[in-house]
Amino acid sequence: MAKKSKINRDLQRREVVARYAERRAALKAIIRDPDADDDARADAQLALQRLPRDASPTRLRNRDVVDGRPRGYIGKAGVSRVRFRAMAHNGELPGITKSSW
């Protein structure tokens, strides 16, 4: 089980990323636009740098949805490797069976 403070901080970051997503996308489009003049591109870069750090999606951490474990995350299931194995043994994941040979 991860610390509650880390889980809450990650949830708060996800809210900030969602809040600034449209603004970041618009600024990045201006920066990438080859027809934009240099002043507009420079203003967009400054505006992008002024956004909060937590508005960047790279600040997010994939965590287990059940207990918040940050390591060994399996994206398809949304859980950590430890939880994935336990759920597979219990038959809680459809289409997943324990291998034996």
PDB file of all heavy atoms in Angstrom, residues 13-49:
ATOM      1  N   ARG A  13      -2.483  16.089  -9.152  1.00  0.00           N
ATOM      2  CA  ARG A  13      -1.784  16.364 -10.403  1.00  0.00           C
ATOM      3  C   ARG A  13      -2.647  16.022 -11.600  1.00  0.00           C
ATOM      4  O   ARG A  13      -2.639  16.729 -12.608  1.00  0.00           O
ATOM      5  CB  ARG A  13      -0.488  15.569 -10.474  1.00  0.00           C
ATOM      6  CG  ARG A  13       0.631  16.190  -9.702  1.00  0.00           C
ATOM      7  CD  ARG A  13       1.927  15.469  -9.941  1.00  0.00           C
ATOM      8  NE  ARG A  13       2.989  16.102  -9.170  1.00  0.00           N
ATOM      9  CZ  ARG A  13       3.979  15.462  -8.592  1.00  0.00           C
ATOM     10  NH1 ARG A  13       4.076  14.160  -8.712  1.00  0.00           N
ATOM     11  NH2 ARG A  13       4.889  16.113  -7.909  1.00  0.00           N
ATOM     12  N   ARG A  14      -3.398  14.925 -11.521  1.00  0.00           N
ATOM     13  CA  ARG A  14      -4.279  14.544 -12.626  1.00  0.00           C
ATOM     14  C   ARG A  14      -5.346  15.611 -12.870  1.00  0.00           C
ATOM     15  O   ARG A  14      -5.700  15.893 -14.015  1.00  0.00           O
ATOM     16  CB  ARG A  14      -4.921  13.187 -12.355  1.00  0.00           C
ATOM     17  CG  ARG A  14      -3.932  12.056 -12.463  1.00  0.00           C
ATOM     18  CD  ARG A  14      -4.537  10.685 -12.274  1.00  0.00           C
ATOM     19  NE  ARG A  14      -3.488   9.694 -12.207  1.00  0.00           N
ATOM     20  CZ  ARG A  14      -2.882   9.172 -13.265  1.00  0.00           C
ATOM     21  NH1 ARG A  14      -3.227   9.551 -14.466  1.00  0.00           N
ATOM     22  NH2 ARG A  14      -1.925   8.275 -13.132  1.00  0.00           N
ATOM     23  N   GLU A  15      -5.850  16.204 -11.810  1.00  0.00           N
ATOM     24  CA  GLU A  15      -6.830  17.286 -11.951  1.00  0.00           C
ATOM     25  C   GLU A  15      -6.204  18.508 -12.620  1.00  0.00           C
ATOM     26  O   GLU A  15      -6.813  19.131 -13.490  1.00  0.00           O
ATOM     27  CB  GLU A  15      -7.395  17.671 -10.590  1.00  0.00           C
ATOM     28  CG  GLU A  15      -8.266  16.606  -9.958  1.00  0.00           C
ATOM     29  CD  GLU A  15      -8.674  16.946  -8.537  1.00  0.00           C
ATOM     30  OE1 GLU A  15      -8.339  18.056  -8.063  1.00  0.00           O
ATOM     31  OE2 GLU A  15      -9.318  16.099  -7.899  1.00  0.00           O
ATOM     32  N   VAL A  16      -4.982  18.849 -12.223  1.00  0.00           N
ATOM     33  CA  VAL A  16      -4.298  20.009 -12.804  1.00  0.00           C
ATOM     34  C   VAL A  16      -4.005  19.759 -14.284  1.00  0.00           C
ATOM     35  O   VAL A  16      -4.171  20.656 -15.119  1.00  0.00           O
ATOM     36  CB  VAL A  16      -3.004  20.334 -12.021  1.00  0.00           C
ATOM     37  CG1 VAL A  16      -2.194  21.406 -12.707  1.00  0.00           C
ATOM     38  CG2 VAL A  16      -3.347  20.753 -10.604  1.00  0.00           C
ATOM     39  N   VAL A  17      -3.574  18.549 -14.621  1.00  0.00           N
ATOM     40  CA  VAL A  17      -3.297  18.217 -16.019  1.00  0.00           C
ATOM     41  C   VAL A  17      -4.571  18.352 -16.846  1.00  0.00           C
ATOM     42  O   VAL A  17      -4.556  18.920 -17.945  1.00  0.00           O
ATOM     43  CB  VAL A  17      -2.708  16.791 -16.136  1.00  0.00           C
ATOM     44  CG1 VAL A  17      -2.727  16.305 -17.569  1.00  0.00           C
ATOM     45  CG2 VAL A  17      -1.291  16.765 -15.607  1.00  0.00           C
ATOM     46  N   ALA A  18      -5.684  17.861 -16.322  1.00  0.00           N
ATOM     47  CA  ALA A  18      -6.953  17.962 -17.053  1.00  0.00           C
ATOM     48  C   ALA A  18      -7.388  19.414 -17.198  1.00  0.00           C
ATOM     49  O   ALA A  18      -7.936  19.799 -18.239  1.00  0.00           O
ATOM     50  CB  ALA A  18      -8.027  17.154 -16.327  1.00  0.00           C
ATOM     51  N   ARG A  19      -7.146  20.222 -16.168  1.00  0.00           N
ATOM     52  CA  ARG A  19      -7.561  21.624 -16.199  1.00  0.00           C
ATOM     53  C   ARG A  19      -6.808  22.415 -17.267  1.00  0.00           C
ATOM     54  O   ARG A  19      -7.370  23.275 -17.940  1.00  0.00           O
ATOM     55  CB  ARG A  19      -7.326  22.252 -14.825  1.00  0.00           C
ATOM     56  CG  ARG A  19      -7.899  23.652 -14.699  1.00  0.00           C
ATOM     57  CD  ARG A  19      -7.672  24.267 -13.337  1.00  0.00           C
ATOM     58  NE  ARG A  19      -7.799  23.322 -12.250  1.00  0.00           N
ATOM     59  CZ  ARG A  19      -6.970  23.275 -11.202  1.00  0.00           C
ATOM     60  NH1 ARG A  19      -5.961  24.116 -11.101  1.00  0.00           N
ATOM     61  NH2 ARG A  19      -7.147  22.403 -10.239  1.00  0.00           N
ATOM     62  N   TYR A  20      -5.517  22.129 -17.444  1.00  0.00           N
ATOM     63  CA  TYR A  20      -4.688  22.892 -18.368  1.00  0.00           C
ATOM     64  C   TYR A  20      -4.482  22.195 -19.715  1.00  0.00           C
ATOM     65  O   TYR A  20      -3.718  22.690 -20.546  1.00  0.00           O
ATOM     66  CB  TYR A  20      -3.317  23.163 -17.743  1.00  0.00           C
ATOM     67  CG  TYR A  20      -3.350  24.204 -16.658  1.00  0.00           C
ATOM     68  CD1 TYR A  20      -3.406  23.834 -15.319  1.00  0.00           C
ATOM     69  CD2 TYR A  20      -3.308  25.552 -16.959  1.00  0.00           C
ATOM     70  CE1 TYR A  20      -3.433  24.783 -14.316  1.00  0.00           C
ATOM     71  CE2 TYR A  20      -3.320  26.509 -15.968  1.00  0.00           C
ATOM     72  CZ  TYR A  20      -3.386  26.118 -14.647  1.00  0.00           C
ATOM     73  OH  TYR A  20      -3.409  27.062 -13.659  1.00  0.00           O
ATOM     74  N   ALA A  21      -5.139  21.070 -19.965  1.00  0.00           N
ATOM     75  CA  ALA A  21      -4.887  20.290 -21.182  1.00  0.00           C
ATOM     76  C   ALA A  21      -5.182  21.076 -22.449  1.00  0.00           C
ATOM     77  O   ALA A  21      -4.376  21.092 -23.387  1.00  0.00           O
ATOM     78  CB  ALA A  21      -5.703  19.004 -21.150  1.00  0.00           C
ATOM     79  N   GLU A  22      -6.324  21.751 -22.502  1.00  0.00           N
ATOM     80  CA  GLU A  22      -6.695  22.499 -23.706  1.00  0.00           C
ATOM     81  C   GLU A  22      -5.732  23.666 -23.941  1.00  0.00           C
ATOM     82  O   GLU A  22      -5.321  23.926 -25.081  1.00  0.00           O
ATOM     83  CB  GLU A  22      -8.118  23.020 -23.590  1.00  0.00           C
ATOM     84  CG  GLU A  22      -9.171  21.935 -23.653  1.00  0.00           C
ATOM     85  CD  GLU A  22     -10.575  22.492 -23.570  1.00  0.00           C
ATOM     86  OE1 GLU A  22     -10.768  23.664 -23.954  1.00  0.00           O
ATOM     87  OE2 GLU A  22     -11.462  21.761 -23.112  1.00  0.00           O
ATOM     88  N   ARG A  23      -5.384  24.370 -22.876  1.00  0.00           N
ATOM     89  CA  ARG A  23      -4.477  25.512 -22.997  1.00  0.00           C
ATOM     90  C   ARG A  23      -3.099  25.061 -23.484  1.00  0.00           C
ATOM     91  O   ARG A  23      -2.506  25.685 -24.363  1.00  0.00           O
ATOM     92  CB  ARG A  23      -4.362  26.220 -21.647  1.00  0.00           C
ATOM     93  CG  ARG A  23      -3.806  27.617 -21.751  1.00  0.00           C
ATOM     94  CD  ARG A  23      -3.805  28.328 -20.431  1.00  0.00           C
ATOM     95  NE  ARG A  23      -5.093  28.242 -19.749  1.00  0.00           N
ATOM     96  CZ  ARG A  23      -5.310  28.661 -18.514  1.00  0.00           C
ATOM     97  NH1 ARG A  23      -4.330  29.201 -17.831  1.00  0.00           N
ATOM     98  NH2 ARG A  23      -6.487  28.545 -17.958  1.00  0.00           N
ATOM     99  N   ARG A  24      -2.590  23.942 -22.933  1.00  0.00           N
ATOM    100  CA  ARG A  24      -1.296  23.412 -23.367  1.00  0.00           C
ATOM    101  C   ARG A  24      -1.342  22.997 -24.831  1.00  0.00           C
ATOM    102  O   ARG A  24      -0.410  23.257 -25.596  1.00  0.00           O
ATOM    103  CB  ARG A  24      -0.885  22.201 -22.521  1.00  0.00           C
ATOM    104  CG  ARG A  24      -0.363  22.549 -21.149  1.00  0.00           C
ATOM    105  CD  ARG A  24       0.062  21.299 -20.415  1.00  0.00           C
ATOM    106  NE  ARG A  24       1.139  20.617 -21.096  1.00  0.00           N
ATOM    107  CZ  ARG A  24       2.435  20.928 -20.977  1.00  0.00           C
ATOM    108  NH1 ARG A  24       2.800  21.923 -20.201  1.00  0.00           N
ATOM    109  NH2 ARG A  24       3.344  20.246 -21.613  1.00  0.00           N
ATOM    110  N   ALA A  25      -2.434  22.346 -25.227  1.00  0.00           N
ATOM    111  CA  ALA A  25      -2.550  21.893 -26.614  1.00  0.00           C
ATOM    112  C   ALA A  25      -2.584  23.076 -27.580  1.00  0.00           C
ATOM    113  O   ALA A  25      -1.963  23.032 -28.652  1.00  0.00           O
ATOM    114  CB  ALA A  25      -3.801  21.037 -26.776  1.00  0.00           C
ATOM    115  N   ALA A  26      -3.288  24.141 -27.205  1.00  0.00           N
ATOM    116  CA  ALA A  26      -3.364  25.319 -28.073  1.00  0.00           C
ATOM    117  C   ALA A  26      -1.988  25.988 -28.203  1.00  0.00           C
ATOM    118  O   ALA A  26      -1.579  26.370 -29.313  1.00  0.00           O
ATOM    119  CB  ALA A  26      -4.375  26.309 -27.515  1.00  0.00           C
ATOM    120  N   LEU A  27      -1.274  26.119 -27.093  1.00  0.00           N
ATOM    121  CA  LEU A  27       0.053  26.735 -27.137  1.00  0.00           C
ATOM    122  C   LEU A  27       1.035  25.886 -27.943  1.00  0.00           C
ATOM    123  O   LEU A  27       1.831  26.409 -28.726  1.00  0.00           O
ATOM    124  CB  LEU A  27       0.583  26.961 -25.724  1.00  0.00           C
ATOM    125  CG  LEU A  27      -0.144  28.029 -24.901  1.00  0.00           C
ATOM    126  CD1 LEU A  27       0.342  28.008 -23.466  1.00  0.00           C
ATOM    127  CD2 LEU A  27       0.040  29.396 -25.520  1.00  0.00           C
ATOM    128  N   LYS A  28       0.968  24.569 -27.780  1.00  0.00           N
ATOM    129  CA  LYS A  28       1.861  23.695 -28.526  1.00  0.00           C
ATOM    130  C   LYS A  28       1.546  23.731 -30.016  1.00  0.00           C
ATOM    131  O   LYS A  28       2.444  23.612 -30.852  1.00  0.00           O
ATOM    132  CB  LYS A  28       1.782  22.271 -27.991  1.00  0.00           C
ATOM    133  CG  LYS A  28       2.518  22.106 -26.682  1.00  0.00           C
ATOM    134  CD  LYS A  28       2.463  20.665 -26.233  1.00  0.00           C
ATOM    135  CE  LYS A  28       3.485  20.424 -25.180  1.00  0.00           C
ATOM    136  NZ  LYS A  28       4.736  19.911 -25.695  1.00  0.00           N
ATOM    137  N   ALA A  29       0.260  23.910 -30.355  1.00  0.00           N
ATOM    138  CA  ALA A  29      -0.107  24.012 -31.768  1.00  0.00           C
ATOM    139  C   ALA A  29       0.477  25.282 -32.383  1.00  0.00           C
ATOM    140  O   ALA A  29       0.942  25.266 -33.534  1.00  0.00           O
ATOM    141  CB  ALA A  29      -1.622  23.996 -31.913  1.00  0.00           C
ATOM    142  N   ILE A  30       0.456  26.369 -31.636  1.00  0.00           N
ATOM    143  CA  ILE A  30       1.049  27.620 -32.131  1.00  0.00           C
ATOM    144  C   ILE A  30       2.559  27.460 -32.322  1.00  0.00           C
ATOM    145  O   ILE A  30       3.128  27.905 -33.321  1.00  0.00           O
ATOM    146  CB  ILE A  30       0.749  28.788 -31.166  1.00  0.00           C
ATOM    147  CG1 ILE A  30      -0.744  29.100 -31.151  1.00  0.00           C
ATOM    148  CG2 ILE A  30       1.557  30.024 -31.538  1.00  0.00           C
ATOM    149  CD1 ILE A  30      -1.157  30.060 -30.072  1.00  0.00           C
ATOM    150  N   ILE A  31       3.213  26.800 -31.375  1.00  0.00           N
ATOM    151  CA  ILE A  31       4.658  26.612 -31.461  1.00  0.00           C
ATOM    152  C   ILE A  31       5.023  25.741 -32.657  1.00  0.00           C
ATOM    153  O   ILE A  31       5.989  25.990 -33.362  1.00  0.00           O
ATOM    154  CB  ILE A  31       5.194  25.998 -30.147  1.00  0.00           C
ATOM    155  CG1 ILE A  31       5.030  27.001 -28.999  1.00  0.00           C
ATOM    156  CG2 ILE A  31       6.648  25.577 -30.282  1.00  0.00           C
ATOM    157  CD1 ILE A  31       5.279  26.423 -27.631  1.00  0.00           C
ATOM    158  N   ARG A  32       4.214  24.709 -32.923  1.00  0.00           N
ATOM    159  CA  ARG A  32       4.489  23.791 -34.030  1.00  0.00           C
ATOM    160  C   ARG A  32       4.105  24.339 -35.397  1.00  0.00           C
ATOM    161  O   ARG A  32       4.565  23.832 -36.412  1.00  0.00           O
ATOM    162  CB  ARG A  32       3.737  22.481 -33.811  1.00  0.00           C
ATOM    163  CG  ARG A  32       4.567  21.435 -33.135  1.00  0.00           C
ATOM    164  CD  ARG A  32       3.845  20.119 -33.083  1.00  0.00           C
ATOM    165  NE  ARG A  32       3.127  20.066 -31.804  1.00  0.00           N
ATOM    166  CZ  ARG A  32       1.832  19.880 -31.674  1.00  0.00           C
ATOM    167  NH1 ARG A  32       1.073  19.704 -32.709  1.00  0.00           N
ATOM    168  NH2 ARG A  32       1.271  19.868 -30.487  1.00  0.00           N
ATOM    169  N   ASP A  33       3.229  25.338 -35.422  1.00  0.00           N
ATOM    170  CA  ASP A  33       2.704  25.859 -36.685  1.00  0.00           C
ATOM    171  C   ASP A  33       3.820  26.534 -37.494  1.00  0.00           C
ATOM    172  O   ASP A  33       4.418  27.510 -37.043  1.00  0.00           O
ATOM    173  CB  ASP A  33       1.591  26.870 -36.401  1.00  0.00           C
ATOM    174  CG  ASP A  33       0.921  27.372 -37.657  1.00  0.00           C
ATOM    175  OD1 ASP A  33       1.073  26.708 -38.704  1.00  0.00           O
ATOM    176  OD2 ASP A  33       0.242  28.418 -37.590  1.00  0.00           O
ATOM    177  N   PRO A  34       4.109  26.035 -38.709  1.00  0.00           N
ATOM    178  CA  PRO A  34       5.184  26.653 -39.504  1.00  0.00           C
ATOM    179  C   PRO A  34       4.802  28.026 -40.051  1.00  0.00           C
ATOM    180  O   PRO A  34       5.679  28.817 -40.411  1.00  0.00           O
ATOM    181  CB  PRO A  34       5.410  25.647 -40.642  1.00  0.00           C
ATOM    182  CG  PRO A  34       4.148  24.879 -40.726  1.00  0.00           C
ATOM    183  CD  PRO A  34       3.550  24.857 -39.346  1.00  0.00           C
ATOM    184  N   ASP A  35       3.506  28.327 -40.114  1.00  0.00           N
ATOM    185  CA  ASP A  35       3.061  29.621 -40.637  1.00  0.00           C
ATOM    186  C   ASP A  35       3.039  30.719 -39.586  1.00  0.00           C
ATOM    187  O   ASP A  35       2.848  31.887 -39.923  1.00  0.00           O
ATOM    188  CB  ASP A  35       1.666  29.491 -41.257  1.00  0.00           C
ATOM    189  CG  ASP A  35       1.676  28.540 -42.448  1.00  0.00           C
ATOM    190  OD1 ASP A  35       2.730  28.438 -43.104  1.00  0.00           O
ATOM    191  OD2 ASP A  35       0.639  27.898 -42.714  1.00  0.00           O
ATOM    192  N   ALA A  36       3.190  30.364 -38.323  1.00  0.00           N
ATOM    193  CA  ALA A  36       3.158  31.365 -37.248  1.00  0.00           C
ATOM    194  C   ALA A  36       4.420  32.222 -37.299  1.00  0.00           C
ATOM    195  O   ALA A  36       5.514  31.727 -37.585  1.00  0.00           O
ATOM    196  CB  ALA A  36       3.038  30.677 -35.895  1.00  0.00           C
ATOM    197  N   ASP A  37       4.230  33.503 -37.001  1.00  0.00           N
ATOM    198  CA  ASP A  37       5.402  34.380 -37.000  1.00  0.00           C
ATOM    199  C   ASP A  37       6.231  34.160 -35.733  1.00  0.00           C
ATOM    200  O   ASP A  37       5.773  33.554 -34.769  1.00  0.00           O
ATOM    201  CB  ASP A  37       4.991  35.847 -37.156  1.00  0.00           C
ATOM    202  CG  ASP A  37       4.089  36.320 -36.037  1.00  0.00           C
ATOM    203  OD1 ASP A  37       3.573  35.465 -35.314  1.00  0.00           O
ATOM    204  OD2 ASP A  37       3.908  37.548 -35.889  1.00  0.00           O
ATOM    205  N   ASP A  38       7.428  34.649 -35.743  1.00  0.00           N
ATOM    206  CA  ASP A  38       8.361  34.392 -34.652  1.00  0.00           C
ATOM    207  C   ASP A  38       7.895  34.983 -33.324  1.00  0.00           C
ATOM    208  O   ASP A  38       8.114  34.394 -32.266  1.00  0.00           O
ATOM    209  CB  ASP A  38       9.746  34.938 -34.999  1.00  0.00           C
ATOM    210  CG  ASP A  38      10.390  34.163 -36.144  1.00  0.00           C
ATOM    211  OD1 ASP A  38       9.998  32.999 -36.342  1.00  0.00           O
ATOM    212  OD2 ASP A  38      11.269  34.728 -36.814  1.00  0.00           O
ATOM    213  N   ASP A  39       7.259  36.154 -33.367  1.00  0.00           N
ATOM    214  CA  ASP A  39       6.781  36.774 -32.127  1.00  0.00           C
ATOM    215  C   ASP A  39       5.687  35.942 -31.472  1.00  0.00           C
ATOM    216  O   ASP A  39       5.680  35.735 -30.254  1.00  0.00           O
ATOM    217  CB  ASP A  39       6.252  38.186 -32.407  1.00  0.00           C
ATOM    218  CG  ASP A  39       7.375  39.139 -32.814  1.00  0.00           C
ATOM    219  OD1 ASP A  39       8.532  38.866 -32.417  1.00  0.00           O
ATOM    220  OD2 ASP A  39       7.095  40.133 -33.505  1.00  0.00           O
ATOM    221  N   ALA A  40       4.752  35.442 -32.279  1.00  0.00           N
ATOM    222  CA  ALA A  40       3.666  34.621 -31.742  1.00  0.00           C
ATOM    223  C   ALA A  40       4.214  33.323 -31.160  1.00  0.00           C
ATOM    224  O   ALA A  40       3.781  32.868 -30.098  1.00  0.00           O
ATOM    225  CB  ALA A  40       2.637  34.312 -32.828  1.00  0.00           C
ATOM    226  N   ARG A  41       5.201  32.747 -31.856  1.00  0.00           N
ATOM    227  CA  ARG A  41       5.806  31.507 -31.375  1.00  0.00           C
ATOM    228  C   ARG A  41       6.550  31.750 -30.060  1.00  0.00           C
ATOM    229  O   ARG A  41       6.443  30.959 -29.114  1.00  0.00           O
ATOM    230  CB  ARG A  41       6.754  30.963 -32.438  1.00  0.00           C
ATOM    231  CG  ARG A  41       7.242  29.571 -32.125  1.00  0.00           C
ATOM    232  CD  ARG A  41       8.056  28.974 -33.249  1.00  0.00           C
ATOM    233  NE  ARG A  41       7.185  28.671 -34.370  1.00  0.00           N
ATOM    234  CZ  ARG A  41       7.432  29.028 -35.632  1.00  0.00           C
ATOM    235  NH1 ARG A  41       8.513  29.699 -35.932  1.00  0.00           N
ATOM    236  NH2 ARG A  41       6.595  28.698 -36.592  1.00  0.00           N
ATOM    237  N   ALA A  42       7.261  32.854 -29.965  1.00  0.00           N
ATOM    238  CA  ALA A  42       7.994  33.173 -28.742  1.00  0.00           C
ATOM    239  C   ALA A  42       7.034  33.435 -27.583  1.00  0.00           C
ATOM    240  O   ALA A  42       7.270  32.999 -26.449  1.00  0.00           O
ATOM    241  CB  ALA A  42       8.896  34.380 -28.960  1.00  0.00           C
ATOM    242  N   ASP A  43       5.931  34.161 -27.862  1.00  0.00           N
ATOM    243  CA  ASP A  43       4.933  34.409 -26.816  1.00  0.00           C
ATOM    244  C   ASP A  43       4.304  33.106 -26.340  1.00  0.00           C
ATOM    245  O   ASP A  43       4.051  32.921 -25.139  1.00  0.00           O
ATOM    246  CB  ASP A  43       3.851  35.353 -27.335  1.00  0.00           C
ATOM    247  CG  ASP A  43       4.384  36.761 -27.570  1.00  0.00           C
ATOM    248  OD1 ASP A  43       5.454  37.090 -27.002  1.00  0.00           O
ATOM    249  OD2 ASP A  43       3.729  37.533 -28.313  1.00  0.00           O
ATOM    250  N   ALA A  44       4.049  32.194 -27.279  1.00  0.00           N
ATOM    251  CA  ALA A  44       3.457  30.904 -26.913  1.00  0.00           C
ATOM    252  C   ALA A  44       4.433  30.096 -26.059  1.00  0.00           C
ATOM    253  O   ALA A  44       4.023  29.437 -25.100  1.00  0.00           O
ATOM    254  CB  ALA A  44       3.070  30.128 -28.166  1.00  0.00           C
ATOM    255  N   GLN A  45       5.714  30.146 -26.379  1.00  0.00           N
ATOM    256  CA  GLN A  45       6.702  29.424 -25.581  1.00  0.00           C
ATOM    257  C   GLN A  45       6.779  29.984 -24.165  1.00  0.00           C
ATOM    258  O   GLN A  45       6.864  29.227 -23.190  1.00  0.00           O
ATOM    259  CB  GLN A  45       8.074  29.488 -26.244  1.00  0.00           C
ATOM    260  CG  GLN A  45       8.205  28.579 -27.445  1.00  0.00           C
ATOM    261  CD  GLN A  45       9.557  28.705 -28.123  1.00  0.00           C
ATOM    262  OE1 GLN A  45      10.272  29.688 -27.921  1.00  0.00           O
ATOM    263  NE2 GLN A  45       9.893  27.728 -28.938  1.00  0.00           N
ATOM    264  N   LEU A  46       6.747  31.313 -24.049  1.00  0.00           N
ATOM    265  CA  LEU A  46       6.767  31.919 -22.712  1.00  0.00           C
ATOM    266  C   LEU A  46       5.510  31.568 -21.921  1.00  0.00           C
ATOM    267  O   LEU A  46       5.576  31.280 -20.721  1.00  0.00           O
ATOM    268  CB  LEU A  46       6.906  33.440 -22.830  1.00  0.00           C
ATOM    269  CG  LEU A  46       8.291  33.952 -23.214  1.00  0.00           C
ATOM    270  CD1 LEU A  46       8.260  35.457 -23.424  1.00  0.00           C
ATOM    271  CD2 LEU A  46       9.297  33.584 -22.143  1.00  0.00           C
ATOM    272  N   ALA A  47       4.366  31.588 -22.595  1.00  0.00           N
ATOM    273  CA  ALA A  47       3.117  31.238 -21.916  1.00  0.00           C
ATOM    274  C   ALA A  47       3.133  29.781 -21.470  1.00  0.00           C
ATOM    275  O   ALA A  47       2.644  29.445 -20.385  1.00  0.00           O
ATOM    276  CB  ALA A  47       1.932  31.503 -22.837  1.00  0.00           C
ATOM    277  N   LEU A  48       3.706  28.918 -22.289  1.00  0.00           N
ATOM    278  CA  LEU A  48       3.799  27.506 -21.929  1.00  0.00           C
ATOM    279  C   LEU A  48       4.726  27.315 -20.728  1.00  0.00           C
ATOM    280  O   LEU A  48       4.446  26.504 -19.836  1.00  0.00           O
ATOM    281  CB  LEU A  48       4.315  26.700 -23.125  1.00  0.00           C
ATOM    282  CG  LEU A  48       4.293  25.186 -23.003  1.00  0.00           C
ATOM    283  CD1 LEU A  48       2.869  24.686 -22.875  1.00  0.00           C
ATOM    284  CD2 LEU A  48       4.966  24.546 -24.199  1.00  0.00           C
ATOM    285  N   GLN A  49       5.793  28.079 -20.668  1.00  0.00           N
ATOM    286  CA  GLN A  49       6.716  27.973 -19.535  1.00  0.00           C
ATOM    287  C   GLN A  49       6.110  28.527 -18.257  1.00  0.00           C
ATOM    288  O   GLN A  49       6.484  28.104 -17.160  1.00  0.00           O
ATOM    289  CB  GLN A  49       8.012  28.717 -19.855  1.00  0.00           C
ATOM    290  CG  GLN A  49       8.859  28.034 -20.895  1.00  0.00           C
ATOM    291  CD  GLN A  49      10.070  28.854 -21.279  1.00  0.00           C
ATOM    292  OE1 GLN A  49      10.269  29.954 -20.780  1.00  0.00           O
ATOM    293  NE2 GLN A  49      10.873  28.309 -22.180  1.00  0.00           N
TER     294      GLN A  49
END
